[in-house]
Amino acid sequence: MKKYAPGVLLSLLISVPSWFLGKAFPVIGGPVFAILIGMTMAPFVKGKDFFRPGVAFASKKVLQYAVILLGFSMNLATVLQKGREALPIILATITTSLVIAYLLSRKLRLPGKTSILIGVGSSICGGSAIAATAPVIDADDSEIAQSISVIFLFNIIAALLFPALGAALGLSNEGFGLFAGTAINDTSSVTAAASAWDGIYGSNTLETATIVKLTRTLAIIPITLFLACYRTGKEKKTSGRSVTIQKVFPSFVLFFLLASIITTAFPIPAGVTGSLKELSKLFIILAMGAIGTNTDLIRLIRTGKKPLFLGFCCWLGISAVSLILQILLGIW
């Protein structure tokens, strides 16, 4: 406790105002505020060695606990039943984003970990997917901060632009719910866009968009397991080290699945699952605050053009595929 307490308390100090700012400005979200505050505070923090163990614990372990708690908001039966119609679109958009991220990372000569985080964050569920993937691929704090920043920018653009775009394209209420749920990265921005649409047209697309978004979130499980297997296989090939079960099957992802199964199998009160979901959000904000204190803001700005272009291409590809498949499936 003595070792970790200072760094965890510093991260908590950042996370509290970030939490309230995220509530006041949900389109931006608490994690982004936490990273920004952390990066702003970083140059003024003296004796960083004193805080380093706790900051490392918050940015790694607390992030994994956040993913586990997220599982308690996932009723698999409800999500799969109501999200079944959107499954072809979800699979197509996830594949599109990952393929674009892979091809462009080679073309732009971007670091592989950054491109993976942007690809996964764009296609699955923004900050939560990045939180789940980062420990699996051993991404450092600057790579996580870069990816979160890219995702945040296109979240805001989508939340503001999509209701007007959907109206211009003549989307039905169901069509816009699918569009928002499959083409917007983060849950807060999906909620913002769908709520704006409902406010304009008096519809109930928020429920559709949220369920589609939760169905996307389930992709965390196979994606992280695949990346774990790929990483361990690559390490064994390059260094000759033995592959461990813990690396191939990250325990926090399995606990995320277990939490989802518990929520599905047992009648847990909505108040309890809602509280656990809020705690998961707080843990993500706390971890992002820790990551912010370890991030060089000047370097982040200097190296930001290529990741931004990659994020834009992933976002554009997902949006186009979502709309095209709606036309082909007759949902529009």
Side-chain angles (χ1 to χ4, degrees), residues 17-209:
S18 302
W19 169 271
F20 287 108
L21 285 168
K23 290 289 186 183
F25 304 96
V27 175
I28 298 175
V32 174
F33 281 116
I35 285 180
L36 293 175
I37 294 172
M39 287 191 298
T40 304
M41 285 180 58
F44 305 101
V45 176
K46 307 297 182 183
K48 289 191 177 182
D49 288 341
F50 178 66
F51 295 103
R52 187 168 286 116
V55 166
F57 177 82
S59 64
K60 303 295 182 185
K61 289 295 182 182
V62 172
L63 203 54
Q64 295 178 20
Y65 300 152
V67 175
I68 294 170
L69 290 173
L70 182 65
F72 287 105
S73 66
M74 305 286 294
N75 186 307
L76 299 177
T78 303
V79 169
L80 292 176
Q81 179 185 359
K82 295 186 177 181
R84 185 168 48 193
E85 183 184 22
L87 200 56
I89 300 176
I90 291 170
L91 294 175
T93 52
I94 289 174
T95 302
T96 299
S97 179
L98 295 177
V99 169
I100 290 173
Y102 174 74
L103 294 176
L104 276 183
S105 68
R106 297 171 68 88
K107 189 73 174 177
L108 299 172
R109 297 181 180 178
L110 262 174
K113 293 176 183 178
T114 301
S115 60
I116 289 172
L117 292 177
I118 292 173
V120 169
S122 299
S123 62
I124 300 177
C125 55
S128 300
I130 291 172
T133 305
V136 178
I137 63 174
D138 197 26
D140 63 33
D141 288 348
S142 63
E143 290 164 334
I144 297 171
Q146 187 98 69
S147 306
I148 290 283
S149 301
V150 169
I151 297 300
F152 143 74
L153 175 62
F154 295 109
N155 277 342
I156 290 183
I157 294 173
L160 297 175
L161 179 65
F162 273 30
L165 179 61
L169 293 172
L171 289 176
S172 64
N173 292 330
E174 182 186 4
F176 184 79
L178 283 170
F179 182 45
T182 53
I184 300 179
N185 304 330
D186 198 72
T187 304
S188 59
S189 295
V190 171
T191 302
S195 297
W197 180 274
D198 288 345
I200 296 169
Y201 298 103
S203 58
N204 190 28
T205 60
L206 178 58
E207 182 180 1
T208 300

